[in-house]
Amino acid sequence: MLYARAITLRNCGRFTVIASDFGSDYRTHTHVTSEALYASLTRGATWWPRLINLKDDPEDFTLAYDVAAMPIWFLPGIFIADGSPRLPDAYLDTTAFNVVHEFYPSTSKAYVLKKGSLEEKENRPYHVPTYGTIQAVKPDGRLITYAFSPRRALLEHFVPAQSFLLGKKRTMFQIVALSGIAEGKWLQGTCTTGWLELSPQYGGRFQRFEVLAGTLRYLILRGVTREKVNYVKFIFPDTSLCLPDFYLEQIPACCQF
């Protein structure tokens, strides 16, 4: 048995997750991945501390978090404005920056810290950007996600006004609305999904779909499945949620539903 709950959060500060960099013109994603939401909304309770080797560290979420110990998962969080997942410019902000390296008093000199004091270098490293723009979602945006779990009690732990830190910039997010807890029902047939985070190879499982964002690792998409599938459906007062079996297979293998 699976249970699900809609969660609406607001960002209390500017939120940036780099989506693209045109020179030094940084654009932000207007979604948050399932993995980031798990790390944040569980407050890192199942994180496995370990030494990180940046050169050889594998990108495997299950090596960082023990999802089986807290079997709850989240659909990708989407910033919504006026019912649309594509934020207009009014909800985004662009900030100019100059000299981002803390040891750069100017853009023409470089410094290194040696024996507790700064020493000037003849040539600064030009791979460090010193000026440009950063795009962010303005404060008080609305991020919508769905949490689901075989343990109803895990969903009951969420309450309005709870706050969490999210993203590398540790922006604070606060719950502003919660749905009731819906019990899933297994069905078979074609399935019209909400926004899912899937490996790009799964695009072929849909007869038609819409892509919100994409990286080499995943696509954020929604659509109608190509063939009949087993799926679990949740009914909420204002909408329904459909999760096909091939999406559930993408949840970390240690999470047994």
Side-chain angles (χ1 to χ4, degrees):
M1 181 61 65
L2 275 177
Y3 303 92
R5 192 174 200 185
I7 303 175
T8 303
L9 304 108
R10 70 182 183 96
N11 55 313
C12 302
R14 283 173 168 76
F15 181 75
T16 295
V17 174
I18 299 301
S20 59
D21 169 17
F22 300 100
S24 294
D25 183 17
Y26 294 96
R27 306 296 177 89
T28 189
H29 280 303
T30 54
H31 70 269
V32 178
T33 63
S34 300
E35 292 84 354
L37 286 169
Y38 180 90
S40 174
L41 271 62
T42 64
R43 304 189 191 280
T46 67
W47 179 58
W48 280 327
R50 73 191 196 284
L51 293 176
I52 297 176
N53 183 331
L54 294 179
K55 181 179 179 181
D56 304 317
D57 192 46
E59 294 183 359
D60 190 340
F61 187 79
T62 61
L63 296 179
Y65 291 86
D66 183 5
V67 183
M70 186 177 287
I72 185 173
W73 200 244
F74 302 87
L75 293 190
I78 310 296
F79 280 98
I80 299 291
D82 301 324
S84 171
R86 302 186 186 279
L87 292 185
D89 291 341
Y91 291 84
L92 298 171
D93 186 33
T94 300
T95 302
F97 69 86
N98 189 29
V99 188
V100 298
H101 195 295
E102 58 268 31
F103 288 161
Y104 286 3
S106 75
T107 59
S108 61
K109 297 180 181 179
Y111 294 81
V112 293
L113 184 64
K114 288 186 177 180
K115 297 181 180 180
S117 61
L118 290 177
E119 294 185 9
E120 184 177 342
K121 292 179 65 177
E122 293 183 3
N123 297 309
R124 68 178 179 87
Y126 285 90
H127 61 271
V128 178
T130 57
Y131 63 91
T133 60
I134 296 178
Q135 186 185 68
V137 179
K138 290 181 179 178
D140 206 33
R142 292 299 186 269
L143 182 85
I144 298 176
T145 184
Y146 290 85
F148 54 97
S149 174
R151 300 183 188 174
R152 185 186 180 99
L154 290 177
L155 302 179
E156 293 173 343
H157 289 167
F158 296 110
V159 296
Q162 275 181 325
S163 297
F164 306 88
L165 294 177
L166 185 62
K168 292 182 178 179
K169 298 298 183 182
R170 314 311 292 161
T171 305
M172 189 172 78
F173 278 70
Q174 186 178 53
I175 292 178
V176 294
L178 288 161
S179 73
I181 298 174
E183 183 177 309
K185 181 179 181 181
W186 282 97
L187 301 168
Q188 188 177 56
T190 56
C191 172
T192 302
T193 76
W195 293 108
L196 306 177
E197 178 185 330
L198 285 165
S199 299
Q201 68 193 57
Y202 280 85
R205 302 297 299 270
F206 293 85
Q207 57 176 295
R208 61 180 183 271
F209 60 87
E210 175 188 2
V211 176
L212 179 67
T215 69
L216 291 175
R217 187 171 63 85
Y218 63 82
L219 294 175
I220 304 294
L221 58 81
R222 63 183 177 185
V224 181
T225 57
R226 180 178 296 278
E227 67 277 338
K228 290 184 178 180
V229 296
N230 294 316
Y231 64 93
V232 60
K233 186 173 185 178
F234 305 92
I235 303 296
F236 297 96
D238 56 346
T239 188
S240 62
L241 175 65
C242 169
L243 302 180
D245 54 4
F246 60 81
Y247 168 74
L248 296 174
E249 293 170 0
Q250 294 298 289
I251 295 170
C254 59
C255 190
Q256 299 298 322
F257 291 106

